[in-house]
Amino acid sequence: MADREIRDRLHPIKVYVSASERVKIEHRASAVKLAPSTFMRSLALGFEPKSAFDKVAITTLIKLHADQGRLGGLLKLWLTEKKGDGTDASNVRSVLQQIESLQLELAHIVMTEKKRL
């Protein structure tokens, strides 16, 4: 029930940080959707917050994967249709451009996450 305890606002524990450290702390606190003081208190008490970014990235990757599957299915359908029964080449080019765009977006997300780790 530590969350329901009344906090002593008259006797805070001060932590002196540089400007760059403050920015890093605020950024990391924001990533897990906590106030900087709550973030620091939680860490000091042994809590290991999970990044909200991970959930956002995974959700985005799932959606992109589904989009790529859908576009790949459309392309396969066009390629396997009888000659003349499929769609025209401009539609195929459009699907290929969408697939390429999704691949670039996936690569960007993966590289951003890799740098963060």
Side-chain angles (χ1 to χ4, degrees):
M1 288 232 173
D3 290 343
R4 294 179 188 234
E5 290 181 42
I6 296 173
R7 307 247 191 269
D8 180 359
R9 297 191 183 276
L10 298 176
H11 301 97
I13 296 175
K14 295 181 181 180
V15 178
Y16 297 98
V17 295
S18 68
S20 65
E21 290 170 333
R22 175 179 290 279
V23 169
K24 286 178 186 176
I25 291 168
E26 289 172 346
H27 176 73
R28 289 181 180 165
S30 175
V32 293
K33 299 187 182 208
L34 293 175
S37 61
T38 303
F39 175 74
M40 291 181 65
R41 181 177 54 250
S42 298
L43 290 177
L45 296 174
F47 177 69
E48 294 182 26
K50 295 184 178 163
S51 174
F53 177 77
D54 294 342
K55 294 176 185 173
V56 171
I58 289 169
T59 301
T60 303
L61 290 172
I62 289 169
K63 288 178 183 176
L64 289 172
H65 180 267
D67 286 346
Q68 275 198 314
R70 180 183 56 78
L71 293 170
L74 289 172
L75 181 60
K76 181 179 178 181
L77 179 66
W78 182 82
L79 292 172
T80 58
E81 288 290 320
K82 293 179 183 176
K83 191 173 184 175
D85 289 343
T87 188
D88 60 51
S90 66
N91 287 342
V92 174
R93 278 190 214 93
S94 174
V95 170
L96 288 173
Q97 287 172 345
Q98 289 177 46
I99 291 171
E100 183 180 17
S101 175
L102 287 171
Q103 286 175 328
L104 291 172
E105 192 173 345
L106 277 168
H108 174 72
I109 291 169
V110 170
M111 293 308 292
T112 300
E113 182 64 13
K114 184 179 177 182
K115 288 178 186 175
R116 190 182 72 80
L117 298 175

